[in-house]
mmCIF file of all heavy atoms in Angstrom:
data_model
loop_
_atom_site.group_PDB
_atom_site.id
_atom_site.type_symbol
_atom_site.label_atom_id
_atom_site.label_comp_id
_atom_site.label_asym_id
_atom_site.label_seq_id
_atom_site.Cartn_x
_atom_site.Cartn_y
_atom_site.Cartn_z
ATOM 1 N N GLN A 43 33.043 -113.077 118.896
ATOM 2 C CA GLN A 43 33.294 -111.666 119.189
ATOM 3 C C GLN A 43 32.666 -111.265 120.513
ATOM 4 O O GLN A 43 33.267 -110.540 121.316
ATOM 5 C CB GLN A 43 32.743 -110.783 118.060
ATOM 6 C CG GLN A 43 33.007 -109.292 118.266
ATOM 7 C CD GLN A 43 34.488 -108.975 118.353
ATOM 8 O OE1 GLN A 43 35.233 -109.275 117.415
ATOM 9 N NE2 GLN A 43 34.928 -108.373 119.448
ATOM 10 N N ARG A 44 31.454 -111.741 120.738
ATOM 11 C CA ARG A 44 30.775 -111.460 122.003
ATOM 12 C C ARG A 44 31.560 -112.068 123.166
ATOM 13 O O ARG A 44 31.653 -111.459 124.238
ATOM 14 C CB ARG A 44 29.363 -112.040 121.948
ATOM 15 C CG ARG A 44 28.523 -111.792 123.173
ATOM 16 C CD ARG A 44 28.009 -110.396 123.227
ATOM 17 N NE ARG A 44 27.035 -110.233 124.291
ATOM 18 C CZ ARG A 44 26.842 -109.100 124.945
ATOM 19 N NH1 ARG A 44 27.545 -108.017 124.635
ATOM 20 N NH2 ARG A 44 25.934 -109.009 125.889
ATOM 21 N N ALA A 45 32.146 -113.243 122.950
ATOM 22 C CA ALA A 45 32.939 -113.882 123.999
ATOM 23 C C ALA A 45 34.142 -113.017 124.371
ATOM 24 O O ALA A 45 34.456 -112.840 125.556
ATOM 25 C CB ALA A 45 33.402 -115.268 123.542
ATOM 26 N N VAL A 46 34.813 -112.473 123.355
ATOM 27 C CA VAL A 46 35.967 -111.605 123.614
ATOM 28 C C VAL A 46 35.528 -110.359 124.379
ATOM 29 O O VAL A 46 36.149 -109.957 125.376
ATOM 30 C CB VAL A 46 36.671 -111.222 122.296
ATOM 31 C CG1 VAL A 46 37.761 -110.189 122.560
ATOM 32 C CG2 VAL A 46 37.254 -112.449 121.620
ATOM 33 N N ASP A 47 34.440 -109.743 123.928
ATOM 34 C CA ASP A 47 33.951 -108.525 124.576
ATOM 35 C C ASP A 47 33.572 -108.789 126.033
ATOM 36 O O ASP A 47 33.933 -108.014 126.937
ATOM 37 C CB ASP A 47 32.741 -107.975 123.821
ATOM 38 C CG ASP A 47 33.090 -107.484 122.419
ATOM 39 O OD1 ASP A 47 34.288 -107.255 122.157
ATOM 40 O OD2 ASP A 47 32.162 -107.345 121.592
ATOM 41 N N LEU A 48 32.862 -109.886 126.277
ATOM 42 C CA LEU A 48 32.427 -110.195 127.640
ATOM 43 C C LEU A 48 33.603 -110.620 128.518
ATOM 44 O O LEU A 48 33.595 -110.372 129.732
ATOM 45 C CB LEU A 48 31.358 -111.296 127.615
ATOM 46 C CG LEU A 48 29.997 -110.866 127.062
ATOM 47 C CD1 LEU A 48 29.066 -112.071 126.928
ATOM 48 C CD2 LEU A 48 29.352 -109.804 127.953
ATOM 49 N N ALA A 49 34.600 -111.235 127.923
ATOM 50 C CA ALA A 49 35.789 -111.602 128.698
ATOM 51 C C ALA A 49 36.500 -110.350 129.203
ATOM 52 O O ALA A 49 36.956 -110.292 130.356
ATOM 53 C CB ALA A 49 36.738 -112.453 127.856
ATOM 54 N N HIS A 50 36.571 -109.325 128.352
ATOM 55 C CA HIS A 50 37.174 -108.062 128.790
ATOM 56 C C HIS A 50 36.325 -107.399 129.885
ATOM 57 O O HIS A 50 36.875 -106.808 130.817
ATOM 58 C CB HIS A 50 37.315 -107.113 127.602
ATOM 59 C CG HIS A 50 38.551 -107.340 126.787
ATOM 60 N ND1 HIS A 50 39.772 -106.813 127.118
ATOM 61 C CD2 HIS A 50 38.750 -108.064 125.653
ATOM 62 C CE1 HIS A 50 40.681 -107.192 126.232
ATOM 63 N NE2 HIS A 50 40.088 -107.946 125.324
ATOM 64 N N ARG A 51 35.027 -107.516 129.773
ATOM 65 C CA ARG A 51 34.149 -106.849 130.732
ATOM 66 C C ARG A 51 34.143 -107.556 132.087
ATOM 67 O O ARG A 51 34.217 -106.912 133.138
ATOM 68 C CB ARG A 51 32.722 -106.790 130.186
ATOM 69 C CG ARG A 51 31.739 -106.076 131.114
ATOM 70 C CD ARG A 51 30.319 -106.150 130.577
ATOM 71 N NE ARG A 51 30.212 -105.638 129.218
ATOM 72 C CZ ARG A 51 29.105 -105.709 128.480
ATOM 73 N NH1 ARG A 51 28.012 -106.294 128.992
ATOM 74 N NH2 ARG A 51 29.081 -105.234 127.257
ATOM 75 N N HIS A 52 34.060 -108.906 132.069
ATOM 76 C CA HIS A 52 33.864 -109.654 133.316
ATOM 77 C C HIS A 52 35.133 -110.292 133.866
ATOM 78 O O HIS A 52 35.131 -110.756 135.007
ATOM 79 C CB HIS A 52 32.813 -110.753 133.090
ATOM 80 C CG HIS A 52 31.439 -110.227 132.801
ATOM 81 N ND1 HIS A 52 30.601 -109.764 133.780
ATOM 82 C CD2 HIS A 52 30.766 -110.080 131.618
ATOM 83 C CE1 HIS A 52 29.457 -109.355 133.232
ATOM 84 N NE2 HIS A 52 29.533 -109.535 131.918
ATOM 85 N N ARG A 53 36.191 -110.330 133.081
ATOM 86 C CA ARG A 53 37.468 -110.913 133.508
ATOM 87 C C ARG A 53 37.283 -112.294 134.153
ATOM 88 O O ARG A 53 37.657 -112.508 135.322
ATOM 89 C CB ARG A 53 38.198 -109.972 134.461
ATOM 90 C CG ARG A 53 38.501 -108.603 133.856
ATOM 91 C CD ARG A 53 39.400 -108.754 132.621
ATOM 92 N NE ARG A 53 39.574 -107.524 131.885
ATOM 93 C CZ ARG A 53 40.697 -106.788 131.897
ATOM 94 N NH1 ARG A 53 41.730 -107.164 132.627
ATOM 95 N NH2 ARG A 53 40.772 -105.690 131.172
ATOM 96 N N PRO A 54 36.726 -113.247 133.420
ATOM 97 C CA PRO A 54 36.561 -114.591 133.996
ATOM 98 C C PRO A 54 37.907 -115.282 134.168
ATOM 99 O O PRO A 54 38.899 -114.929 133.514
ATOM 100 C CB PRO A 54 35.710 -115.304 132.941
ATOM 101 C CG PRO A 54 36.083 -114.628 131.658
ATOM 102 C CD PRO A 54 36.293 -113.179 132.025
ATOM 103 N N HIS A 55 37.936 -116.279 135.046
ATOM 104 C CA HIS A 55 39.132 -117.110 135.170
ATOM 105 C C HIS A 55 39.220 -118.114 134.014
ATOM 106 O O HIS A 55 40.308 -118.437 133.544
ATOM 107 C CB HIS A 55 39.107 -117.881 136.492
ATOM 108 C CG HIS A 55 39.120 -117.012 137.702
ATOM 109 N ND1 HIS A 55 38.054 -116.921 138.575
ATOM 110 C CD2 HIS A 55 40.068 -116.174 138.178
ATOM 111 C CE1 HIS A 55 38.357 -116.086 139.553
ATOM 112 N NE2 HIS A 55 39.566 -115.607 139.336
ATOM 113 N N VAL A 56 38.052 -118.609 133.583
ATOM 114 C CA VAL A 56 37.993 -119.642 132.546
ATOM 115 C C VAL A 56 36.878 -119.305 131.562
ATOM 116 O O VAL A 56 35.773 -118.927 131.970
ATOM 117 C CB VAL A 56 37.726 -121.043 133.151
ATOM 118 C CG1 VAL A 56 37.609 -122.103 132.054
ATOM 119 C CG2 VAL A 56 38.830 -121.426 134.136
ATOM 120 N N VAL A 57 37.166 -119.434 130.267
ATOM 121 C CA VAL A 57 36.147 -119.345 129.224
ATOM 122 C C VAL A 57 35.945 -120.734 128.642
ATOM 123 O O VAL A 57 36.896 -121.361 128.163
ATOM 124 C CB VAL A 57 36.556 -118.374 128.097
ATOM 125 C CG1 VAL A 57 35.485 -118.352 127.005
ATOM 126 C CG2 VAL A 57 36.782 -116.974 128.648
ATOM 127 N N VAL A 58 34.722 -121.240 128.707
ATOM 128 C CA VAL A 58 34.373 -122.503 128.058
ATOM 129 C C VAL A 58 33.906 -122.136 126.655
ATOM 130 O O VAL A 58 32.850 -121.533 126.476
ATOM 131 C CB VAL A 58 33.274 -123.249 128.842
ATOM 132 C CG1 VAL A 58 32.918 -124.551 128.143
ATOM 133 C CG2 VAL A 58 33.736 -123.522 130.276
ATOM 134 N N MET A 59 34.727 -122.485 125.641
ATOM 135 C CA MET A 59 34.594 -121.915 124.301
ATOM 136 C C MET A 59 34.269 -122.975 123.241
ATOM 137 O O MET A 59 35.059 -123.883 122.989
ATOM 138 C CB MET A 59 35.912 -121.221 123.919
ATOM 139 C CG MET A 59 35.943 -120.617 122.535
ATOM 140 S SD MET A 59 35.225 -118.963 122.487
ATOM 141 C CE MET A 59 36.522 -118.037 123.332
ATOM 142 N N ASP A 60 33.105 -122.839 122.611
ATOM 143 C CA ASP A 60 32.804 -123.674 121.450
ATOM 144 C C ASP A 60 33.762 -123.305 120.315
ATOM 145 O O ASP A 60 34.040 -122.124 120.088
ATOM 146 C CB ASP A 60 31.353 -123.446 121.026
ATOM 147 C CG ASP A 60 30.924 -124.365 119.892
ATOM 148 O OD1 ASP A 60 31.553 -125.424 119.695
ATOM 149 O OD2 ASP A 60 29.959 -124.012 119.183
ATOM 150 N N ILE A 61 34.259 -124.301 119.613
ATOM 151 C CA ILE A 61 35.251 -124.045 118.569
ATOM 152 C C ILE A 61 34.634 -123.388 117.340
ATOM 153 O O ILE A 61 35.227 -122.514 116.715
ATOM 154 C CB ILE A 61 35.934 -125.369 118.149
ATOM 155 C CG1 ILE A 61 36.787 -125.891 119.307
ATOM 156 C CG2 ILE A 61 36.808 -125.176 116.916
ATOM 157 C CD1 ILE A 61 37.912 -124.980 119.691
ATOM 158 N N ARG A 62 33.418 -123.815 116.974
ATOM 159 C CA ARG A 62 32.825 -123.345 115.720
ATOM 160 C C ARG A 62 31.623 -122.466 116.027
ATOM 161 O O ARG A 62 30.561 -122.950 116.425
ATOM 162 C CB ARG A 62 32.436 -124.533 114.850
ATOM 163 C CG ARG A 62 33.615 -125.497 114.675
ATOM 164 C CD ARG A 62 33.374 -126.508 113.586
ATOM 165 N NE ARG A 62 34.433 -127.517 113.563
ATOM 166 C CZ ARG A 62 34.770 -128.209 112.500
ATOM 167 N NH1 ARG A 62 34.151 -127.994 111.350
ATOM 168 N NH2 ARG A 62 35.730 -129.117 112.550
ATOM 169 N N MET A 63 31.827 -121.154 115.838
ATOM 170 C CA MET A 63 30.778 -120.180 116.120
ATOM 171 C C MET A 63 30.767 -119.101 115.049
ATOM 172 O O MET A 63 31.762 -118.908 114.341
ATOM 173 C CB MET A 63 30.998 -119.529 117.500
ATOM 174 C CG MET A 63 30.713 -120.432 118.668
ATOM 175 S SD MET A 63 30.732 -119.500 120.242
ATOM 176 C CE MET A 63 32.463 -119.056 120.336
ATOM 177 N N PRO A 64 29.662 -118.367 114.927
ATOM 178 C CA PRO A 64 29.584 -117.298 113.923
ATOM 179 C C PRO A 64 30.318 -116.036 114.359
ATOM 180 O O PRO A 64 30.778 -115.926 115.489
ATOM 181 C CB PRO A 64 28.076 -117.045 113.816
ATOM 182 C CG PRO A 64 27.532 -117.432 115.159
ATOM 183 C CD PRO A 64 28.380 -118.587 115.618
ATOM 184 N N VAL A 65 30.404 -115.076 113.438
ATOM 185 C CA VAL A 65 30.999 -113.750 113.606
ATOM 186 C C VAL A 65 32.511 -113.864 113.774
ATOM 187 O O VAL A 65 33.279 -113.415 112.923
ATOM 188 C CB VAL A 65 30.377 -112.954 114.778
ATOM 189 C CG1 VAL A 65 30.955 -111.538 114.827
ATOM 190 C CG2 VAL A 65 28.859 -112.915 114.658
ATOM 191 N N LEU A 66 32.943 -114.431 114.888
ATOM 192 C CA LEU A 66 34.358 -114.717 115.132
ATOM 193 C C LEU A 66 34.397 -116.136 115.676
ATOM 194 O O LEU A 66 33.759 -116.426 116.696
ATOM 195 C CB LEU A 66 34.924 -113.723 116.157
ATOM 196 C CG LEU A 66 36.434 -113.743 116.393
ATOM 197 C CD1 LEU A 66 37.178 -113.187 115.176
ATOM 198 C CD2 LEU A 66 36.775 -112.920 117.643
ATOM 199 N N ASP A 67 35.110 -117.041 114.976
ATOM 200 C CA ASP A 67 35.051 -118.436 115.430
ATOM 201 C C ASP A 67 35.843 -118.623 116.718
ATOM 202 O O ASP A 67 36.564 -117.746 117.190
ATOM 203 C CB ASP A 67 35.487 -119.403 114.332
ATOM 204 C CG ASP A 67 36.970 -119.343 114.020
ATOM 205 O OD1 ASP A 67 37.776 -119.064 114.919
ATOM 206 O OD2 ASP A 67 37.329 -119.599 112.851
ATOM 207 N N GLY A 68 35.692 -119.815 117.307
ATOM 208 C CA GLY A 68 36.295 -120.085 118.598
ATOM 209 C C GLY A 68 37.812 -120.046 118.590
ATOM 210 O O GLY A 68 38.433 -119.697 119.602
#
Side-chain angles (χ1 to χ4, degrees):
Q43 182 60 58
R44 182 76 171 150
V46 173
D47 294 342
L48 289 173
H50 276 277
R51 181 185 305 173
H52 294 281
R53 301 299 172 106
H55 298 113
V56 178
V57 178
V58 180
M59 178 84 72
D60 185 22
I61 292 297
R62 308 193 188 205
M63 288 189 293
V65 185
L66 188 70
D67 70 32

